Amino acid sequence: MEFKQYLIESSRTLNSSGKDLDLLHCAAGLRTESGELIDVIKKHIFYGQSLDIVNMKEELGDIMWYIAIPVRMFDLNLDLTMQNDGFYKKKIKNQITTKVGLMKYFLSFDTMIHHLSECITINLSKSDFNNVIEDINLICEIYSLNLSEIMDININKLKARFPNNFTQEHALNRDLEKERAILEGEVK
């Protein structure tokens, strides 16, 4: 799925409460999803669990959902195909070969997300979004993930959760088994 289409598809599940509250929702949601992504890495490193790529894709998709809010609101033109600087990419790939390096990288990503969430509520900058998108692309490259596929899966999960549009009832009463099946590619 292309990002422009993702912006359209993801908008149907936003329970808009006005600009200020929508931006606060975005800021809080980015922090929540980034924390859930860190949890995937934490469980892998410290608890010896295999890396849950399915959950990683879910959290990256949810981060994209929250990024889409201000992108739509301020009509930002983001380039999701940005390529990281070769030196930066090589440095990160070398860094994450150890558990310490991997955890440091994802904590750094989490810090970047927190910075973005603060900027959203204070002074929005397109470059802050670009930095996050660059790292999302790098994470996708490192783990052989496809951002377009992640956005498509995210929309399919949200369609299952909210067949027509957002409702509090559907938000609170989710079919987690069906959502997981969608995330695993068993259901379209």
Side-chain angles (χ1 to χ4, degrees), residues 173-188:
N173 300 301
R174 299 165 28 189
D175 184 345
L176 295 177
E177 287 181 20
K178 182 175 182 180
E179 287 184 21
R180 183 68 185 198
I182 290 168
L183 294 168
E184 292 175 348
E186 297 171 9
V187 175
K188 291 277 179 178

Side-chain angles (χ1 to χ4, degrees), residues 1 6 15-16 37 41 57 59 63 69 75 96-97 111 128-129 136 149 154 157 165 169 171 187-188:
M1 175 176 296
Y6 182 79
N15 183 26
S16 186
L37 182 61
I41 302 302
K57 290 194 291 189
E59 305 315 337
I63 288 170
I69 294 170
D75 198 26
I96 66 165
T97 59
T111 300
D128 293 314
F129 284 98
I136 289 173
E149 177 186 303
N154 181 257
K157 176 188 82 168
N165 56 14
E169 180 182 335
V187 175
K188 291 277 179 178

Side-chain angles (χ1 to χ4, degrees), residues 23-178:
L23 289 175
L24 289 172
H25 180 201
C26 171
L30 282 169
R31 287 180 178 216
T32 300
E33 301 305 334
S34 178
E36 290 180 10
L37 182 61
I38 290 290
D39 197 49
V40 172
I41 302 302
K42 177 192 75 179
K43 289 175 179 174
H44 172 63
I45 291 174
F46 298 109
Y47 305 158
Q49 293 182 0
S50 60
L51 189 60
D52 188 347
I53 294 292
V54 171
N55 196 10
M56 182 181 276
K57 290 194 291 189
E58 177 181 20
E59 305 315 337
L60 288 170
D62 290 344
I63 288 170
M64 292 304 296
W65 188 89
Y66 285 105
I67 285 174
I69 294 170
V71 168
R72 276 191 306 270
M73 189 179 291
F74 297 107
D75 198 26
L76 299 175
N77 185 20
L78 294 185
D79 181 7
L80 295 191
T81 62
M82 292 184 307
Q83 297 298 313
N84 281 290
D85 172 84
F87 175 77
Y88 175 72
K89 192 184 298 186
K90 185 176 181 181
K91 178 183 169 191
I92 296 302
K93 284 185 175 182
N94 288 335
Q95 176 186 344
I96 66 165
T97 59
T98 67
K99 289 181 178 182
V100 169
L102 182 65
M103 195 72 229
K104 282 183 176 180
Y105 173 73
F106 276 92
L107 287 172
S108 173
F109 178 75
D110 183 62
T111 300
M112 190 184 319
I113 291 286
H114 281 245
H115 173 74
L116 177 62
S117 69
E118 289 171 7
C119 290
I120 286 169
T121 59
I122 299 169
N123 185 20
L124 190 65
S125 165
K126 184 176 173 183
S127 67
D128 293 314
F129 284 98
N130 287 338
N131 292 337
V132 170
I133 296 299
E134 279 185 306
D135 268 33
I136 289 173
N137 277 323
L138 184 58
I139 291 167
C140 287
E141 183 177 326
I142 290 167
Y143 292 102
S144 300
L145 305 175
N146 180 303
L147 185 54
S148 181
E149 177 186 303
I150 288 170
M151 291 186 295
D152 193 44
I153 290 168
N154 181 257
I155 292 301
N156 289 334
K157 176 188 82 168
L158 292 172
K159 283 179 179 177
R161 185 182 299 170
F162 306 110
N164 298 313
N165 56 14
F166 174 88
T167 67
Q168 287 183 345
E169 180 182 335
H170 287 119
L172 297 173
N173 300 301
R174 299 165 28 189
D175 184 345
L176 295 177
E177 287 181 20
K178 182 175 182 180

